[in-house]
Amino acid sequence: MKEELASSFLKLVASSTAMGAGADKIVLPLLNGFFQVPVFGVPVTVIGAAAVGAGMSLFFGDPIESRRSLFGQVSAATAFGVGAGVLFADAFHLEWAQKNMAMFVMMTAALMRWFLPTVIEKVKTIITEFKLPRKGDPK
């Protein structure tokens, strides 16, 4: 099972890298000329590239049970992929990522589907274990 998961993950990384490299040189410059509208400080084409990366990640791994889960995972991976990609590029001063933001965010969103459920479960555990005193609690 772990070998199959690792193989699927490696296929996702390879295909998102290849797709991002091709899209960054051919498709995205054409679209950037028409759609340079910033949304939350990011061009629309970068958000579109993240959506493509999130959608591409669905071809790998376990199948999704319902449409609601499908749209939820793609939406979450797109939003968190854009956020994480932009923050990582700025925080670590990655000039190559800032120059090729659409490709970097596409790969980040594609990989986000693999890491987001684990992060969500970990945050839920931390929240339930971290107990704050409430106003009505006895001292």
Side-chain angles (χ1 to χ4, degrees), residues 56-100:
M56 217 170 51
S57 72
L58 297 173
F59 291 106
F60 305 98
D62 297 331
I64 297 177
E65 313 83 43
S66 66
R67 278 190 204 173
R68 182 175 186 224
S69 181
L70 170 97
F71 290 120
Q73 284 191 21
V74 169
S75 300
T78 300
F80 283 103
V82 170
V86 171
L87 288 175
F88 286 147
D90 287 342
F92 296 115
H93 304 290
L94 303 173
E95 293 177 15
W96 58 270
Q98 291 171 350
K99 188 174 96 175
N100 302 307

Side-chain angles (χ1 to χ4, degrees), residues 15-75:
S15 63
S16 65
T17 303
M19 178 78 167
D24 193 45
K25 299 296 180 199
I26 300 167
V27 178
L28 294 176
L30 179 65
L31 292 175
N32 275 334
F34 296 110
F35 300 107
Q36 263 309 354
V37 179
V39 177
F40 301 118
V42 180
V44 174
T45 53
V46 172
I47 297 170
V52 168
M56 217 170 51
S57 72
L58 297 173
F59 291 106
F60 305 98
D62 297 331
I64 297 177
E65 313 83 43
S66 66
R67 278 190 204 173
R68 182 175 186 224
S69 181
L70 170 97
F71 290 120
Q73 284 191 21
V74 169
S75 300

